[in-house]
Amino acid sequence: MRKGMKLRNMLLIAVMALSVVMVSACSQKKSILDDVKVKYEGYSGHGIADLDNEKLNSNMVDVFAKKLKLDDYLTEKLKSNELNAEALESEATSDERDKLVKVERWVKDTRVRVNKAQNLKNGDKYVVTIKTGDKENPIKNESKTYTVKGLKKTKKVTAKDIAKDLNVQAYGYNGKGLIAITSKKYKGSVSFHIKNNGSLKNGDKVTIKLPSEFTSDEKIDFQGKKEFTYTVQGLKELAATKDLDEIKKVTDSMVNDEYPYGEFEKYVNTFINMYFVPTSAYSDYSDEKDTSVELNDKSGLEASRKDKITIAVLYTVKDDYDEDDEADDSNTRVVEVTVGNVSIEGDHTNIDSIDTEDDGTVSTKDSSLEVLQHNLAANGIKVK
């Protein structure tokens, strides 16, 4: 009798133990990362990780299906609809809708995070983390670490290497020089910003900072500072010539023709200053210099090879007397006389060969004398 009771007790204990194991196994959360792979694309240092989300979603559905005892049809529907349980509810039975509501809740509860998905290099650790907060969610909280490999190798490059393929040239006049940057290797819309561009002189050290288009190329591993130095040279001299008095005679005649002193008109014209301004700068003179230099823009460089100067001369013009022969100091204006298409040949200009009817202007200026003097000096030089 005792043996029978003992045997029954042992069987009861075994059944209870087996039940605990089965309950524990059923309630245990499941991994969804075990067989999920990652592909890597691009160049080392600029690589991109491509996590197999299709497999990850499929694993999630399998875990949910096992927990909720979903049939094969509904399981496959969830996979093909990318876990969009809500879209399946309209055709589901009442029992299935209850299960799909749980799937929808668990999908929202499951968060997939990666530590870094871009700018990867070979040997980096790519970590995928799964987090859930719902106790009923059958998905396991876990992390899996992958080692990045197979990315293409990059070439180490410095600013000096890039500078070898950039042709930097200074052009224009000494003290008013500009920079042009051309290249046979590099193309596209790229802008450099050159400090003091338009005011450069021979011997200046110009720091040229490389735009991101040169340093962020995925095929290279850029090393060191993103800049190099260029020494300005080859700028032409813009200086006073020996025929300034002859030039003044020409501009005096031009202003006197426009504002004569005679029986009916009495203008007193007073010479103030004379400036030599490169024609390219004179067309839109200002003291604000454009520091932007476009790669392979040769327009300024080519124009400088045939650049002429504009002679700009400032006068004040005053109505000397009114009808009552009384002095009238209030009616004074500033007049600018220009002669364009002028060349400097040695220490003289070609002023004698210039037709002022075609290449000369006499104009009244709205700006003050001080502003005009400032702007002309900023773009050229005062020679008289």
Side-chain angles (χ1 to χ4, degrees):
M1 186 73 175
R2 291 179 180 177
K3 288 183 178 180
M5 291 179 63
K6 186 175 181 181
L7 180 60
R8 283 197 297 272
N9 288 339
M10 290 177 65
L11 288 171
L12 181 61
I13 291 171
V15 169
M16 291 175 65
L18 181 61
S19 299
V20 170
V21 170
M22 291 177 66
V23 170
S24 176
C26 291
S27 63
Q28 186 178 7
K29 292 179 179 283
K30 305 295 183 182
S31 170
I32 59 173
L33 285 176
D34 282 346
D35 52 355
V36 174
K37 297 181 180 180
V38 180
K39 292 181 180 180
Y40 308 101
E41 299 176 355
Y43 289 81
S44 185
H46 304 278
I48 298 173
D50 182 15
L51 181 67
D52 189 350
N53 286 304
E54 185 176 349
K55 180 61 179 173
L56 187 67
N57 289 343
S58 177
N59 288 352
M60 288 176 67
V61 172
D62 288 339
V63 172
F64 296 153
K66 186 173 183 179
K67 174 75 173 180
L68 298 170
K69 295 183 173 57
L70 300 179
D71 60 32
D72 291 343
Y73 174 79
L74 204 54
T75 299
E76 291 306 314
K77 275 287 188 181
L78 278 171
K79 290 182 179 181
S80 62
N81 280 272
E82 297 181 347
L83 287 165
N84 186 357
E86 187 177 3
L88 303 176
E89 290 178 17
S90 61
E91 299 179 0
T93 65
S94 176
D95 180 58
E96 287 173 338
R97 278 197 295 272
D98 291 341
K99 293 177 180 181
L100 288 172
V101 168
K102 285 188 177 182
V103 169
E104 186 179 349
R105 190 179 82 211
W106 292 340
V107 168
K108 291 179 179 177
D109 178 59
T110 305
R111 298 179 300 280
V112 181
R113 299 285 186 269
V114 298
N115 63 330
K116 186 180 181 182
Q118 297 179 342
N119 297 322
L120 298 169
K121 63 180 183 296
N122 289 324
D124 278 352
K125 300 302 179 184
Y126 177 72
V127 182
V128 182
T129 301
I130 307 296
K131 287 283 187 183
T132 64
D134 190 330
K135 291 183 179 180
E136 291 187 1
N137 191 333
I139 291 176
K140 175 183 177 183
N141 284 325
E142 62 179 325
S143 290
K144 185 173 182 179
T145 301
Y146 300 81
T147 300
V148 179
K149 59 184 179 180
L151 294 172
K152 299 174 186 176
K153 291 184 178 180
T154 54
K155 180 182 178 182
K156 291 184 178 180
V157 174
T158 65
K160 186 177 180 181
D161 296 324
I162 293 175
K164 291 176 182 177
D165 292 301
L166 295 176
N167 181 23
V168 182
Q169 291 178 270
Y171 67 92
Y173 291 92
N174 195 21
K176 310 295 176 183
L178 299 105
I179 292 294
I181 302 177
T182 58
S183 176
K184 293 181 179 180
K185 178 178 179 179
Y186 299 108
K187 308 294 180 182
S189 178
V190 181
S191 293
F192 297 83
H193 292 279
I194 309 297
K195 187 177 180 180
N196 298 323
N197 195 44
S199 300
L200 300 171
K201 61 182 183 298
N202 289 325
D204 281 350
K205 302 289 185 183
V206 177
T207 298
I208 299 178
K209 295 184 178 181
L210 294 172
S212 60
E213 289 86 348
F214 290 92
T215 60
S216 60
D217 188 332
E218 66 172 9
K219 296 180 182 180
I220 68 170
D221 177 15
F222 191 87
Q223 309 275 308
K225 289 186 177 181
K226 300 176 181 181
E227 61 187 40
F228 63 95
T229 301
Y230 169 76
T231 302
V232 177
Q233 57 184 333
L235 295 175
K236 297 176 286 187
E237 293 297 331
L238 182 61
T241 54
K242 292 183 178 180
D243 56 350
L244 298 182
D245 289 338
E246 286 78 3
I247 295 171
K248 183 175 177 300
K249 288 178 183 178
V250 173
T251 60
D252 284 349
S253 297
M254 292 171 68
V255 73
N256 290 336
D257 286 345
E258 188 73 20
Y259 299 100
Y261 190 93
E263 182 178 354
F264 301 105
E265 295 178 295
K266 299 181 183 295
Y267 293 103
V268 175
N269 306 321
T270 304
F271 170 87
I272 303 298
N273 297 119
M274 181 186 297
Y275 299 86
F276 285 179
V277 184
T279 299
S280 56
Y282 178 79
S283 60
D284 186 24
Y285 62 75
S286 166
D287 60 344
E288 295 183 6
K289 305 299 182 184
D290 184 5
T291 63
S292 179
V293 174
E294 295 291 327
L295 178 66
N296 292 321
D297 180 4
K298 301 178 183 179
S299 57
L301 187 62
E302 291 171 352
S304 74
R305 296 190 178 114
K306 53 185 178 181
D307 193 24
K308 303 294 181 71
I309 67 167
T310 294
I311 298 172
V313 185
L314 298 177
Y315 292 86
T316 57
V317 174
K318 182 177 68 172
D319 273 347
D320 198 25
Y321 295 101
D322 60 17
E323 293 178 353
D324 299 324
D325 260 1
E326 293 180 358
D328 185 2
D329 293 329
S330 64
N331 196 11
T332 301
R333 68 197 77 181
V334 179
V335 171
E336 183 181 44
V337 178
T338 67
V339 181
N341 204 29
V342 177
S343 299
I344 297 178
E345 301 164 359
D347 55 8
H348 284 72
T349 67
N350 65 334
I351 191 68
D352 292 338
S353 63
I354 300 296
D355 184 344
T356 57
E357 291 290 331
D358 295 330
D359 295 308
T361 65
V362 179
S363 57
T364 302
K365 311 305 285 187
D366 294 329
S367 301
S368 68
L369 176 62
E370 290 75 16
V371 169
L372 291 167
Q373 289 173 317
H374 175 79
N375 288 345
L376 286 169
N379 289 276
I381 64 166
K382 184 171 74 173
V383 293
K384 191 174 177 67

